[in-house]
Amino acid sequence: MFLAGTNKVKDDLVHILMAVFNGAGTLPAQLDSFKAQTHRPWHMVASDDGSHDRSRKLLNEFRDEATSDVDIINGPKRGAAANFLYMLRHLSVSDATPRWIAFADQDDVWLPDKLERAIAALKSGDPTVPTLYCSRTWVTDHNLSAPRLSPPRPRAPDFRNALVQNIAAGNTIVLNPAAVDLVLSAVVLVDDVVVHDWWMYQLISGSGGRVIHDDAPSLLYRQHAQNQIGVNDTARARWRRMIQLLRGDFRTWNVTNVTALRATATALHPKHRATLERFANLPTLPLVHRLAQFRRLGLYRQTFGGTLTLWFAVVFKLV
């Protein structure tokens, strides 16, 4: 059974969930940016996925010095996506039900008003509606130099977009209490996801919830080779994405996403549940029927070129 909006918010305590693995080189700057947040209170949960550098020592020192509560747990050692799901499951069975949740990466630097702006935006709507806040970022190199804005999101967030594209950067996501209820109810039923942020964008938009994409950046995001999805805003990145499409990565991601959404199908709005099944069925159809079905579904990416790529994928059964 999926619950939304059942928590009575007594305060604005935000649980910050951060996955950690060998992040000693960048952790201090991120931890300092937590301390500089204009929003209080917050409670950090750091899940160390088996680091063999100084990450654990840095986290312990931060916990000892912090004026806010800090929990350090051992991760599942199965990668970042599994680590974030692990933290959510950890919260789902904890005695203290979290109200607001924010997600953090170990190598970013939050702007001081990140949480304050997110909470204000989330409070602007109906508190009983599951709502996800996300934003643009300042994309930088490893040294936090040469910042550039991440791509804008000109088209409205929607389940028809979420099925084929993730616009919710996980390091910017904050969930309102109703969305926390929904996600914590769903995560115990899900075995695997491509990335936690894409799954939450699909789940919350698919449930009929609200997604707020803030056009103003909320953090400095270090772009590097280890980013699994990353910012697709350069010619090199777009070429890499095309290679991923041709070798079948997009189709594999879709299978994983569909499996996760089917596991929580009762949380989806009936209209979106039907869209999910039609989308999953696309590769089984003859070409003409496949194209007609895809057109009826109205799926889209944020740019015209991205949507054209989807049509290409449908033609060659790469979805």
Side-chain angles (χ1 to χ4, degrees):
M1 180 178 180
F2 293 87
L3 305 176
T6 57
N7 285 340
K8 293 187 182 298
V9 181
K10 299 177 181 177
D11 54 46
D12 292 340
L13 174 66
V14 179
H15 279 67
I16 301 172
L17 307 187
M18 181 171 64
V20 175
F21 179 70
N22 289 342
T26 58
L27 263 175
Q30 177 67 304
L31 295 174
D32 284 345
S33 75
F34 294 163
K35 289 190 291 186
Q37 288 300 298
T38 56
H39 175 85
R40 293 288 190 278
W42 53 260
H43 176 154
M44 188 184 85
V45 179
S47 182
D48 180 22
D49 222 19
S51 298
H52 45 77
D53 64 359
R54 295 179 62 251
S55 293
R56 192 64 172 245
K57 182 175 184 296
L58 291 170
L59 290 172
N60 288 335
E61 291 173 351
F62 180 73
R63 178 183 58 192
D64 293 341
E65 298 171 0
T67 56
S68 298
D69 290 334
V70 175
D71 290 335
I72 304 169
I73 62 177
N74 296 319
K77 299 181 181 180
R78 292 192 292 112
N83 201 359
F84 278 109
L85 294 190
Y86 181 79
M87 281 186 280
L88 288 168
R89 294 187 186 110
H90 174 78
L91 289 178
S92 71
V93 298
S94 67
D95 293 333
T97 303
R99 294 173 173 84
W100 307 80
I101 290 180
F103 296 83
D105 289 348
Q106 66 186 10
D107 49 1
D108 298 327
V109 175
W110 284 9
L111 299 182
D113 64 347
K114 179 192 186 302
L115 288 180
E116 182 179 4
R117 280 171 42 206
I119 297 297
L122 289 167
K123 284 185 172 182
S124 68
D126 185 343
T128 67
V129 175
T131 306
L132 178 154
Y133 168 94
C134 57
S135 78
R136 296 175 77 178
T137 64
W138 287 111
V139 183
T140 74
D141 61 18
H142 183 77
N143 298 316
L144 300 176
S145 301
R148 67 183 190 276
L149 271 174
S150 61
R153 303 304 186 184
R155 305 193 67 178
D158 188 88
F159 187 65
R160 294 171 302 152
N161 176 231
L163 272 180
V164 292
Q165 182 183 23
N166 180 29
I167 66 167
N171 50 359
T172 71
I173 287 177
V174 182
L175 304 178
N176 78 340
V180 169
D181 285 340
L182 174 64
V183 168
L184 294 188
S185 294
V187 72
V188 296
L189 302 176
V190 172
D191 293 327
D192 189 26
V193 298
V194 178
V195 282
H196 68 291
D197 45 10
W198 196 1
W199 171 67
M200 288 189 291
Y201 177 31
Q202 292 178 334
L203 175 67
I204 291 171
S205 63
S207 73
R210 182 182 177 210
V211 175
I212 302 170
H213 186 274
D214 190 348
D215 197 51
S218 64
L219 56 83
L220 304 180
Y221 168 64
R222 299 182 207 250
Q223 178 76 61
H224 50 74
Q226 284 69 47
N227 298 131
Q228 182 176 359
I229 302 297
V231 179
N232 188 27
D233 65 344
T234 66
R236 182 177 181 181
R238 285 189 287 271
W239 176 245
R240 185 181 69 172
R241 191 60 56 86
M242 180 59 71
I243 291 175
Q244 290 175 321
L245 175 69
L246 293 174
R247 74 186 180 195
D249 288 7
F250 185 56
R251 180 171 56 234
T252 300
W253 295 345
N254 287 337
V255 170
T256 300
N257 287 338
V258 167
T259 300
L261 288 171
R262 280 174 168 168
T264 58
T266 57
L268 301 181
H269 187 283
K271 175 181 68 175
H272 296 318
R273 192 158 60 238
T275 296
L276 172 67
E277 291 306 319
R278 294 188 185 106
F279 174 67
N281 194 46
L282 273 178
T284 68
L285 300 176
L287 177 60
V288 173
H289 293 91
R290 191 160 68 246
L291 292 173
Q293 179 78 292
F294 181 71
R295 182 179 181 182
R296 285 193 293 269
L297 286 173
L299 307 182
Y300 63 89
R301 293 174 67 89
Q302 290 292 311
T303 65
F304 177 73
T307 302
L308 279 182
T309 302
L310 278 180
W311 282 94
F312 173 87
V314 170
V315 169
F316 292 99
K317 289 189 177 183
L318 297 173
V319 293

